[in-house]
Amino acid sequence: MTRPPHPSLRPARFGIVDLFAGPGGLDIAATIMQHEGVESIGVEWDSATRRTRAAAGLLTTEVKDVAALGPCDPSVVEATVLTGGPPCQSFSVAGSRKGHKALDDVLRLATRLADHEDAASFDAAWKEVKAETDLMSDERTGFVLQPLRWIMEAKLKRGRPYEVVVLEQVPTVLPVWKHYAEILRRTGYAADAHVLHSEDFGVPQTRRRAVLIAQYDPGNERRKVRFPEATHQRYRKGAERLTAKDDHRDGSLFPTPHGDGEIKPWVSMGDALAATRPYEFVMVSNYGSGGDPKKRGRRNSVDPAPTITGKVRRNRLFLLKEGESGAKEVGEELDRLTFPEAGLLQSFPVAYPWRSTDVAQQIGNAIPPRLSLHILSMALLREPPQEKWYALLKDWKPEDPATDEAEYA
């Protein structure tokens, strides 16, 4: 498959430019929604991640740096929707002095980018803000301001505001998204931000994401913005899993809602990995342990996985078998998760073409595609995902496995 030398987004009902796009957790969801007029192009810096995107057939801008592009660039000028998940490491150290300072800095600088009536005034403010962020010890602190720059430039320079904005990151970024929502309301958007739990939407993993949804609606900025409603049971340690009532007759891997408001059982690791691990097992996770063995979490295969991170290969698996007393006992250690298995726990298709040597990091950094389906469907169409989309996501395969990876290196 030969790609154009300068990829660009085609006109579409919902043309998405996805900043800090990663391996395609949101873009693959957009592909599933293409019959609703959804197209997407991603902006991604990392060369290894770009190779994965190329192998998956996802459109990616030639320019790698979000800061070097803007809404007027020919490759993205047709976009009507802005999405993104800027790097969050500056804010991820819960309760730390540096984390609090990074949040305070972003809130203060974002305020300076608000309420400008013309491009010249905004350019002057952005020049001052960028000069300050360039001097910060962690340049990633400034990345979270890039989506706000794109939003303001789309309105003031391109002359066409984005119709919809969707931003997501770790829960510690929620105060930033709440602040952005207030700025966007003054810019003509109905906007709000909430924390979503991935297992609430059929992802076989507990993962929380702070999500902002904004819809351009001058005159109705204070109206309620609808967020996705849970379709599956929330996981809590020690809670009993609901009894399944869905027989999966639609052929999907995960149970699908039928529009009757019924909450389905959470989707377990065992459900997701049934094809490769048709037995009960225990996962011992390093997530949140800081390397302390005493803090390592344990979950059985009837539970969702803990948050999948770039260190997912460190998670250990053990057979869970019946002992002489009839009670379940931990048995021999099993092979660790493969990359396709880790991808499945993020709700990626089993055939997703992961590339390069940092696949674990790509998987850990991604937004789960199934969660993306719920977010995009509600943000763009203002309704829950169509049931057939879940089967399409499960069965997805790259159109051309022989795609030249070097094109997006």
Side-chain angles (χ1 to χ4, degrees):
M1 179 171 64
T2 302
R3 293 185 176 275
H6 302 287
S8 60
L9 184 67
R10 300 177 298 180
R13 181 186 177 195
F14 300 109
I16 298 173
V17 55
D18 187 20
L19 310 183
F20 310 99
L26 185 139
D27 300 88
I28 198 65
T31 298
I32 300 300
M33 297 173 63
Q34 61 185 334
H35 294 299
E36 298 295 326
V38 181
E39 299 281 349
S40 71
I41 186 169
V43 187
E44 174 54 44
W45 172 270
D46 181 66
S47 295
T49 305
R50 290 169 66 89
R51 286 194 285 273
T52 293
R53 293 180 59 87
L58 301 177
L59 199 61
T60 309
T61 59
E62 182 181 34
V63 177
K64 299 179 180 181
D65 189 357
V66 165
L69 279 175
C72 298
D73 188 90
S75 63
V76 297
V77 71
E78 297 292 343
T80 60
V81 178
L82 180 77
T83 64
C88 62
Q89 289 88 341
S90 299
F91 317 107
S92 293
V93 185
S96 74
R97 182 183 62 82
K98 289 184 177 180
H100 282 302
K101 185 179 186 307
L103 281 171
D104 290 342
D105 285 340
V106 166
L107 296 177
R108 173 177 54 82
L109 295 174
T111 301
R112 290 166 60 180
L113 299 177
D115 304 323
H116 294 278
E117 298 294 334
D118 57 75
S121 173
F122 178 79
D123 281 345
W126 176 253
K127 184 177 180 180
E128 294 174 359
V129 167
K130 188 175 186 304
E132 184 169 342
T133 58
D134 285 347
L135 295 176
M136 290 180 176
S137 59
D138 190 339
E139 64 178 4
R140 294 170 299 190
T141 302
F143 287 165
V144 77
L145 293 167
Q146 283 294 336
L148 188 56
R149 173 181 74 85
W150 280 65
I151 294 166
M152 296 304 179
E153 289 188 357
K155 183 176 182 179
L156 299 174
K157 293 185 176 182
R158 189 178 67 166
R160 284 188 294 114
Y162 291 113
E163 296 174 12
V164 177
V165 175
V166 174
L167 303 177
E168 60 84 25
Q169 251 312 332
V170 294
T172 50
V173 182
L174 184 63
V176 177
W177 292 166
K178 288 287 188 180
H179 190 56
Y180 279 18
E182 187 55 42
I183 290 173
L184 293 179
R185 291 186 196 107
R186 304 200 301 265
T187 312
Y189 289 86
D192 207 346
H194 297 286
V195 171
L196 300 181
H197 294 244
S198 61
E199 79 271 23
D200 285 1
F201 304 98
V203 177
Q205 172 198 179
T206 54
R207 187 185 193 94
R208 298 188 303 144
R209 305 303 285 178
V211 177
L212 176 145
I213 296 177
Q215 297 155 336
Y216 194 63
D217 195 4
N220 295 299
E221 296 91 345
R222 292 292 168 179
R223 69 166 170 81
K224 182 178 180 180
V225 176
R226 290 184 63 196
F227 273 68
E229 296 181 1
T231 56
H232 291 70
Q233 177 188 9
R234 176 79 52 85
Y235 173 79
R236 292 181 176 83
K237 187 176 181 180
E240 290 190 14
R241 190 184 187 198
L242 295 174
T243 302
K245 297 180 181 179
D246 194 315
D247 60 7
H248 298 213
R249 282 175 293 185
D250 61 359
S252 62
L253 173 60
F254 306 122
T256 57
H258 293 285
D260 56 4
E262 176 190 336
I263 295 296
K264 310 294 180 182
W266 64 64
V267 179
S268 70
M269 291 185 282
D271 294 331
L273 306 182
T276 55
R277 300 183 186 267
Y279 42 74
E280 293 187 75
F281 60 86
V282 173
M283 176 182 286
V284 180
S285 168
N286 268 328
Y287 178 68
S289 70
D292 184 349
K294 295 180 180 179
K295 295 182 180 179
R296 288 174 183 159
R298 292 174 176 262
R299 291 196 188 172
N300 293 353
S301 50
V302 295
D303 301 325
T307 301
I308 299 299
T309 72
K311 299 177 181 179
V312 63
R313 290 279 291 169
R314 297 184 184 181
N315 293 354
R316 301 174 69 184
L317 301 175
F318 297 87
L319 186 66
L320 190 62
K321 58 185 181 181
E322 188 173 299
E324 293 183 359
S325 65
K328 296 290 184 179
E329 297 178 355
V330 175
E332 61 268 28
E333 185 166 2
L334 306 169
D335 291 339
R336 299 196 181 189
L337 291 174
T338 65
F339 292 138
E341 287 178 326
L344 280 170
L345 296 178
Q346 277 276 53
S347 74
F348 277 90
V350 69
Y352 209 72
W354 302 104
R355 295 290 187 269
S356 197
T357 57
D358 70 340
V359 170
Q361 196 66 48
Q362 292 181 43
I363 295 172
N365 287 345
I367 181 173
R370 187 175 172 108
L371 177 60
S372 294
L373 279 177
H374 282 267
I375 294 171
L376 286 180
S377 187
M378 193 58 72
L380 304 183
L381 307 178
R382 306 190 190 186
E383 60 185 28
Q386 298 175 23
E387 290 187 22
K388 64 181 180 182
W389 293 349
Y390 304 119
L392 290 173
L393 180 61
K394 168 189 174 284
D395 296 332
W396 178 92
K397 293 180 181 179
E399 291 184 4
D400 186 359
T403 297
D404 182 3
E405 300 172 26
E407 292 183 39
Y408 282 85

